[in-house]
Amino acid sequence: MERNSYLNQIQKCFQVTPICALLGPRQCGKTTLARLYASHQENIHIFDLENERDLARLENPHLTLEHLDGT
């Protein structure tokens, strides 16, 4: 499925602000779209809040995020 228009909208969003929200119902492709966008970028960091390890890392977000560059 072509998602170029969505990817372009995300890119435009990041030109204005460092945050972009993907909203939609369950199982509509939000995570797939985010991972597709990330695969075309550099310095992208993904945290899956359904992953126990990522969730534990973010219990102290300052320590986790302070050394990261990029998005």
Side-chain angles (χ1 to χ4, degrees):
M1 172 182 268
E2 289 294 323
R3 294 182 174 96
N4 291 332
S5 65
Y6 293 120
L7 294 172
N8 290 335
Q9 289 176 19
I10 293 170
Q11 184 64 38
K12 287 179 185 177
C13 180
F14 279 127
Q15 290 173 353
V16 176
T17 181
I19 297 171
C20 179
L22 299 178
L23 305 175
R26 290 178 49 126
Q27 301 292 311
C28 71
K30 298 179 299 291
T31 301
T32 301
L33 181 61
R35 291 186 186 280
L36 180 62
Y37 178 81
S39 72
H40 293 96
Q41 306 300 315
E42 294 181 17
N43 286 329
I44 296 286
H45 307 281
I46 296 176
F47 296 93
D48 181 351
L49 300 183
E50 292 182 349
N51 179 308
E52 291 180 18
R53 189 174 189 184
D54 283 351
L55 192 57
R57 288 176 61 202
L58 291 172
E59 284 183 10
N60 193 336
H62 184 71
L63 291 176
T64 300
L65 303 175
E66 70 182 343
H67 299 291
L68 299 180
D69 291 327
T71 304

